Amino acid sequence: MFFFRKKFHLIIVCTANRTRSAYFAGYLNHYLAQYRPGALKRIKITSAGTKASGGGRVNDVVALIARNNGFSLRQHVAEPLSDKLMKRADLILVMEQEHKDFILEKYPEAKEKVFRLMEYGWQGEDAVGSLNVPDPTGKNAEDFKAFVDMAHVEADRLVHELVHREII
């Protein structure tokens, strides 16, 4: 007899699901495939947006950055946050407090599983400043570089946290 364990469903959320959440979800999948391939059997990573228009393409700059970092976002299609996604979610990581507020207002039952990306797993009082991930869309190259650098550091930290919690 086989026992199938439900995959842990992680949702990464930003506003339009075309820049931050798309890149972070894509990079996290790439990171796990490279360094912990077995983890992909135990986790499903999805991204969505609080104000996403279904079907939107990924930001061109982010697509290029992803390609330069060894993975593709060509297949990414923006997805609005939905009741269906929320029901499946085990953990919801958002980019800004406004996203967390939106989710908690619309889905109060998600209170125990929604966190800003940089607050998940942190010990102590506001150890990393504002804890929001600024949106680089429409900004300069330095803003995109800062976002990408932060995304890579946070992906590494998140994977360590998920391993520590025995999720992956």
Side-chain angles (χ1 to χ4, degrees):
M1 177 183 256
F2 293 100
F3 292 97
F4 293 99
R5 185 174 172 194
K6 175 189 170 273
K7 277 191 173 186
F8 185 87
H9 197 152
L10 168 62
I11 302 176
I12 310 295
V13 178
C14 71
T15 305
N17 189 220
R18 296 184 61 235
T19 303
R20 294 174 288 177
S21 59
Y23 184 85
F24 193 79
Y27 180 74
L28 190 55
N29 273 305
H30 171 70
Y31 182 99
L32 288 172
Q34 204 170 20
Y35 298 108
R36 293 192 73 87
L40 292 173
K41 294 176 183 169
R42 298 180 67 188
I43 190 168
K44 177 172 176 50
I45 302 164
T46 306
S47 65
T50 58
K51 297 178 184 174
S53 297
R57 290 189 31 205
V58 72
N59 176 298
D60 289 337
V61 175
V62 168
L64 176 62
I65 293 169
R67 190 169 50 240
N68 289 340
N69 280 289
F71 65 102
S72 174
L73 292 174
R74 189 173 58 229
Q75 301 298 318
H76 177 80
V77 177
E79 182 175 358
L81 196 58
S82 65
D83 294 349
K84 183 179 175 183
L85 278 176
M86 291 301 293
K87 283 179 185 162
R88 283 189 277 167
D90 294 301
L91 176 62
I92 304 144
L93 298 177
V94 302
M95 298 293 145
E96 297 180 42
Q97 184 64 41
E98 112 183 18
H99 304 131
K100 186 175 179 179
D101 293 342
F102 173 89
I103 290 169
L104 292 176
E105 184 175 315
K106 191 167 181 180
Y107 305 98
E109 68 279 6
K111 184 179 183 208
E112 300 300 317
K113 59 184 178 180
V114 63
F115 301 87
R116 285 179 288 173
L117 172 63
M118 292 195 298
E119 94 185 322
Y120 181 69
W122 274 102
Q123 309 298 317
E125 301 275 329
D126 225 81
V128 290
S130 79
L131 300 176
N132 287 331
V133 177
D135 188 355
T137 305
K139 297 186 179 159
N140 63 36
E142 290 82 29
D143 292 309
F144 274 94
K145 182 178 180 343
F147 163 71
V148 168
D149 290 347
M150 178 282 316
H152 293 188
V153 167
E154 285 301 304
D156 186 59
R157 188 185 67 76
L158 177 60
V159 167
H160 282 54
E161 185 65 27
L162 295 174
V163 167
H164 174 74
R165 293 179 186 222
E166 298 181 353
I167 293 168
I168 58 172

